[in-house]
Amino acid sequence: MAAKPHRVTVTDVARAAGVSEQTVSRTVHDSPAVRAETKERVRRAMRELGYRPNFAGQSLRRGRYHTLGVVMFDITATGNLDRLDGFTRAAEKSGYAITLLRAPESPTLTEAARRMSALPVDGMIFCLNRMVDDFYDFRPPFDLKTVIITMKEHPVLSTGDNDQHRCSRDVVDYLLARGHRTVHHIAGPLRSLSGMQREEGWRQALAERGIEPPAVFRGDWSSASGYEAGVRLASNPKVTAVYASNDAMAYGCIRALEANGRHVPEDVSVIGVDDVLSAIVPDVNLTSVRFDNRQVGLWAVEKIIDDSPAGSQREHRLFQGHIVEHESVRSLL
Amino acid sequence: MAAKPHRVTVTDVARAAGVSEQTVSRTVHDSPAVRAETKERVRRAMRELGYRPNFAGQSLRRGRYHTLGVVMFDITATGNLDRLDGFTRAAEKSGYAITLLRAPESPTLTEAARRMSALPVDGMIFCLNRMVDDFYDFRPPFDLKTVIITMKEHPVLSTGDNDQHRCSRDVVDYLLARGHRTVHHIAGPLRSLSGMQREEGWRQALAERGIEPPAVFRGDWSSASGYEAGVRLASNPKVTAVYASNDAMAYGCIRALEANGRHVPEDVSVIGVDDVLSAIVPDVNLTSVRFDNRQVGLWAVEKIIDDSPAGSQREHRLFQGHIVEHESVRSLL
DNA sequence: TTGTAGGCGTTATCAG
DNA sequence: CTGATAACGCCTACAA
C-alpha cells in the first residue's frame, strides 16, 4: 500500500512522533536528557517507519567513517585469508569495518592509494606481495593513517610482516645444529617478495657461518617444481638437508627423493614453510615454519586505530614464525 | 610550515583558483561546460592544495555509496578467497568497492544485516556456510538489494551457489557408468551446509537408481579423518568406488587404501571435491570436482549492480562444478 | 526536558 | 560559460 518507498529520515520520525528532529537524534544516541516516555514514543515511530541512520549524514557531520581500507595486490596469495580474518577481527572489536580493494595491475602504491582514498575510509593498509616502483617515495594523504604489510622499512610509514629472513636463519641453524654440513634451497619465483627474502635469508645465514651457499633450485610454489628439484637433489649423494620455500615444493621434493631411493628423513632431512601439509597429507609429517598471519592483521589494524601517541609512532615490526617439528628431519649427531 | 593541516574542500579550491565552488565541481567531473583555460587553473589549484573529494559529502548528495557489503559467517572457509576475488573483480568493473564483515557469532541473518546496514553500502551479499534460524523469514531493508550465497531458495531474495547436489549426482553417475555397483561416501561434518548437501545428493542419486546407499563415513574435512575411513573401507573387498566430500579426505583415504594393500585406481576408484591436490601432491592424480567460486562471486555482484528490470527479478542460480579427470578412477567395463 | 538555527562538503537547478 | 542558491541527513551549540 505504501507509495514509492522512500528512505526514512530523522525528519520523518520526528513528524510521526510529534517531536523535533533533535529529540529523535538524542533518542538514537540514548541521551539521558530525554524523558523515558518521550523516548518510547520516538522509538516506536522509528520501529514503525523502519528508520535507519543515514551513514553519509553522520559521517559528514562527524568527519569519521569507522572503516579501514585494505589494498591487496594479489588477493589469492597464501595467508591472505588469515590476514583478512585478523583485519576484520581487530576492526570489529573497535566497531570498524574493512573495505577491500584489489590492485593487481597497479604498479605503484601512489596509484593504489589514489583509488582507496576516494572511498570512505579513515586509514589504509597495503598488503605488498610484490615489488612496486615507488615504495620509498610513497606518501599517503596526511589524513589517512597508513600501514604497509611488508618486510622492508619505510622512511615515514609503519611497516610490519612475517620475518622471512629470520625464518630462513632459524631453519638453517636448526639443520646445522643437527650435524648437517650445508642446506640446499628450493626457492620461490622471482616475482614473490617473501620468496626472495627467504632466499636471501638462507644465503646470508650460510655465508655468515662460512658455508658457500650451493646452487639454488628455482621453483614456482607448485609441488611439481619441488619434484623436479627433488629429482636433481636425489642424484647428489652429498645432499642431506633441503629447505623449501613452501610446503608444496617441500612435499614434491620428498616424493621425488623417495621415488629415487633416498628416504626422508633417514637419508635426507626436509623442511618447508606454511605448515599446511598435515591438513591434506595424512601420513607424511613435514617439519615446517608456521607464521601467524592473523596476528599480523590484528597488529596492522590496531596500529591504525590506536589514538595514543605511541600508536602514531612509526614502527617496524617483524613477526617471528616458529618451526613446527615433525618427523622429516633427522639429526646426524 | 603549514599550520594544522586541514581537510581541503571545494571551497578552498574555489577561493584559490578565484572561481565559484560550482566551477570546481564541474571541473572535478570534467564537464564540457567549463572553458579549458579555467579548468586548467582549477586543476592546478587542486593539485597544489592536494584536494580530494569528500566521500560523505558526495554520498549525501547522491544517495549512493558505490560500495557493496559482504557478510561472511566463516571467513576462512574453503573457496572464500576465490569468491572474494570474484566480488572485488566484478565490483571494480563498475567502480564499486567491497566492504567485508565477519558474523561468526551471529545466529541470524537479521542480526548480521543490522550491522551491515549501518555501513555505507548500496547492497548486501551474505555468504552462508552454516545454518541460520531465520533464513526464510529474513527480509532486508527495502533499499538494500540483497543476494545470499546458498543453495537454498529464498522466498523473496535472489540466491545462488555451487550446485552440490548436482556435483554428487555427476560423481555417482560417472562411477556407475564405469561399471561400479555402488559408491561409498566420506562426508563432511554435520555443521557444514555444503557438506550436508553433497551427502544428500549422493544419497538421492543412488536411491533413484535403485541402489541402497551404504553407511556414510563422517569426516571433518581433514585428511586424517579420510585416512580413518580409508582403513575401514580397505577391509571391505566389495568396495570399488569412493566419493569423498573434499580432496583432503580423498587423499587421506587413498593413502590408507594403499597402506592396506588396495591400489588406486586398480582396486578402488576415488573421487574428491575442490581440485586442490595437484598443487600440493605432485604424483598422485586425483579425479576431483572443481567449482568456480570466482564466477559465483561475479554473479552475485552483477546481480546487485544490474539496474535492468531483469536484474531486479528474484533468481535462484546454481553453478555446476565439473569433474576434472585424473588417474584415480578405473573403468570396470 | 525540548526546540531552533546553522553548517559539515557536495552538486542540481536555475539565473545571468 | 559561470555563479548563486538550496538541499541531501545529521548533530553541535545555544536558546527556551
Side-chain angles (χ1 to χ4, degrees):
Chain A
M1 287 310 145
K4 153 165 162 267
H6 139 88
R7 189 70 148 82
V8 180
T9 73
V10 175
T11 317
D12 300 320
V13 177
R15 194 155 30 219
V19 297
S20 75
E21 297 186 11
Q22 198 36 235
T23 301
V24 175
S25 175
R26 281 194 266 256
T27 304
V28 169
H29 297 96
D30 204 18
S31 152
V34 179
R35 219 191 322 164
E37 200 181 321
T38 316
K39 259 186 198 167
E40 196 34 63
R41 194 148 37 96
V42 174
R43 291 229 171 89
R44 183 169 38 241
M46 296 200 315
R47 231 174 299 123
E48 276 163 13
L49 296 173
Y51 170 76
R52 198 153 40 88
N54 178 291
F55 186 90
Q58 289 186 329
S59 302
L60 186 54
R61 217 30 258 248
R62 307 210 247 251
R64 282 280 177 90
Y65 300 112
H66 285 276
T67 299
L68 261 34
V70 170
V71 177
M72 286 192 168
F73 285 77
D74 174 14
I75 285 203
T76 53
T78 312
N80 266 350
L81 224 36
D82 283 327
R83 259 185 290 268
L84 265 177
D85 191 54
F87 293 146
T88 46
R89 242 174 235 267
E92 186 176 29
K93 255 193 298 186
S94 312
Y96 276 64
I98 292 293
T99 289
L100 191 61
L101 209 62
R102 267 161 42 91
E105 318 297 346
S106 169
T108 62
L109 284 168
T110 306
E111 162 61 12
R114 207 186 45 70
R115 294 208 296 132
M116 186 83 243
S117 63
L119 297 172
V121 296
D122 304 320
M124 304 191 289
I125 299 172
F126 293 86
C127 297
L128 210 54
N129 311 296
R130 58 167 171 74
M131 306 296 196
V132 289
D133 296 338
D134 62 341
F135 182 81
Y136 295 105
D137 297 331
F138 172 62
R139 297 292 180 280
F142 72 87
D143 56 344
L144 292 182
K145 244 176 146 181
T146 302
V147 167
I148 308 182
I149 308 291
T150 177
M151 256 195 73
K152 293 206 265 188
E153 214 162 338
H154 188 277
V156 305
L157 299 172
S158 283
T159 46
D161 202 354
N162 297 319
D163 192 338
Q164 315 288 1
H165 272 114
R166 176 66 175 270
C167 154
S168 294
R169 266 156 202 283
D170 287 351
V171 167
V172 166
D173 284 345
Y174 184 89
L175 289 165
L176 296 185
R178 280 159 184 75
H180 297 270
R181 295 291 178 78
T182 189
V183 177
H184 292 258
H185 185 47
I186 307 176
L190 290 168
R191 69 185 139 73
S192 159
L193 261 183
S194 55
M196 293 304 286
Q197 285 156 346
R198 277 177 214 153
E199 181 177 339
E200 201 179 300
W202 160 80
R203 202 182 298 279
Q204 278 184 16
L206 283 180
E208 284 171 19
R209 281 142 192 84
I211 301 170
E212 171 76 11
V216 153
F217 293 85
R218 172 94 33 223
D220 61 4
W221 297 138
S222 77
S223 70
S225 68
Y227 194 93
E228 268 183 64
V231 170
R232 309 247 287 289
L233 287 160
S235 69
N236 179 354
K238 285 201 275 188
V239 171
T240 67
V242 177
Y243 164 42
S245 203
N246 77 348
D247 279 4
M249 296 192 298
Y251 188 53
C253 176
I254 290 178
R255 301 291 294 210
L257 289 169
E258 296 278 355
N260 288 273
R262 308 216 56 197
H263 298 297
V264 177
E266 294 77 5
D267 305 320
V268 182
S269 295
V270 177
I271 295 187
V273 178
D274 288 343
D275 194 35
V276 296
L277 212 60
S278 56
I280 295 173
V281 181
D283 53 351
V284 169
N285 289 311
L286 174 67
T287 294
S288 185
V289 181
R290 174 185 297 182
F291 287 113
D292 190 348
N293 289 299
R294 179 173 296 117
Q295 199 201 349
V296 178
L298 290 168
W299 167 79
V301 168
E302 279 162 8
K303 188 73 194 164
I304 291 187
I305 293 182
D306 184 359
D307 270 332
S308 70
S312 31
Q313 298 284 321
R314 186 177 74 97
E315 185 186 0
H316 181 59
R317 178 79 178 271
L318 292 180
F319 294 85
Q320 290 180 37
H322 62 275
I323 296 178
V324 181
E325 298 189 286
H326 286 298
E327 291 81 47
S328 66
V329 173
R330 186 171 81 101
S331 174
L332 304 181
L333 303 180
Chain B
M1 287 310 143
K4 153 164 160 268
H6 140 86
R7 188 71 147 80
V8 180
T9 73
V10 175
T11 316
D12 300 321
V13 177
R15 194 156 29 221
V19 297
S20 75
E21 298 184 8
Q22 198 38 237
T23 299
V24 174
S25 175
R26 280 194 268 256
T27 303
V28 168
H29 299 286
D30 204 17
S31 153
V34 179
R35 218 193 324 167
E37 200 181 318
T38 315
K39 259 187 198 168
E40 196 34 61
R41 194 147 37 96
V42 174
R43 291 226 172 89
R44 184 170 36 242
M46 297 198 316
R47 232 175 299 122
E48 275 164 14
L49 297 174
Y51 170 75
R52 197 153 39 91
N54 178 292
F55 185 90
Q58 290 186 329
S59 302
L60 185 55
R61 212 32 257 238
R62 308 210 249 250
R64 283 279 178 89
Y65 300 112
H66 285 276
T67 300
L68 261 35
V70 171
V71 178
M72 286 192 169
F73 285 77
D74 174 13
I75 284 202
T76 53
T78 313
N80 266 351
L81 224 36
D82 284 328
R83 260 185 289 269
L84 266 176
D85 191 54
F87 293 147
T88 44
R89 242 175 235 268
E92 187 176 27
K93 254 194 297 185
S94 312
Y96 277 63
I98 292 293
T99 289
L100 191 61
L101 209 62
R102 263 162 45 90
E105 318 296 345
S106 170
T108 62
L109 285 168
T110 306
E111 162 61 12
R114 205 188 46 70
R115 292 208 296 131
M116 183 49 99
S117 63
L119 298 173
V121 296
D122 303 320
M124 303 192 289
I125 299 172
F126 293 87
C127 297
L128 210 54
N129 311 296
R130 57 168 171 76
M131 305 296 196
V132 289
D133 296 337
D134 62 342
F135 182 79
Y136 296 105
D137 297 330
F138 172 62
R139 298 291 180 277
F142 73 87
D143 56 343
L144 292 182
K145 245 177 145 179
T146 301
V147 167
I148 309 182
I149 307 291
T150 177
M151 255 195 73
K152 293 207 264 189
E153 213 162 338
H154 188 278
V156 305
L157 298 173
S158 283
T159 45
D161 202 354
N162 297 320
D163 192 339
Q164 316 287 1
H165 273 114
R166 175 67 173 270
C167 154
S168 294
R169 267 157 202 282
D170 287 351
V171 168
V172 167
D173 285 346
Y174 184 89
L175 289 166
L176 295 185
R178 279 158 185 75
H180 296 271
R181 293 292 178 78
T182 189
V183 177
H184 291 257
H185 185 48
I186 307 177
L190 290 168
R191 68 185 141 72
S192 159
L193 261 183
S194 56
M196 293 304 286
Q197 286 156 346
R198 275 175 216 155
E199 181 177 341
E200 202 179 301
W202 161 80
R203 204 181 296 281
Q204 278 184 18
L206 284 179
E208 283 171 20
R209 281 143 192 83
I211 302 170
E212 171 76 11
V216 153
F217 293 85
R218 172 94 33 223
D220 62 3
W221 296 139
S222 77
S223 69
S225 67
Y227 195 94
E228 269 183 64
V231 170
R232 308 246 289 287
L233 286 160
S235 68
N236 179 351
K238 285 202 275 188
V239 171
T240 67
V242 178
Y243 164 43
S245 205
N246 77 348
D247 278 3
M249 296 193 297
Y251 189 54
C253 176
I254 290 177
R255 301 292 293 209
L257 289 169
E258 296 278 356
N260 287 274
R262 309 216 58 199
H263 298 296
V264 177
E266 293 78 6
D267 305 320
V268 182
S269 295
V270 177
I271 295 187
V273 178
D274 289 343
D275 194 36
V276 296
L277 213 60
S278 56
I280 295 173
V281 181
D283 54 351
V284 169
N285 288 310
L286 175 66
T287 294
S288 185
V289 181
R290 173 184 297 182
F291 288 113
D292 190 348
N293 289 300
R294 180 172 295 118
Q295 199 200 348
V296 178
L298 290 169
W299 167 80
V301 169
E302 279 162 8
K303 187 75 194 162
I304 292 188
I305 293 182
D306 184 0
D307 271 331
S308 71
S312 33
Q313 299 283 321
R314 186 177 74 97
E315 184 186 1
H316 181 58
R317 178 78 179 272
L318 293 180
F319 294 84
Q320 291 180 37
H322 63 274
I323 296 178
V324 181
E325 297 189 286
H326 287 297
E327 290 80 46
S328 67
V329 174
R330 186 172 80 102
S331 175
L332 304 181
L333 302 179

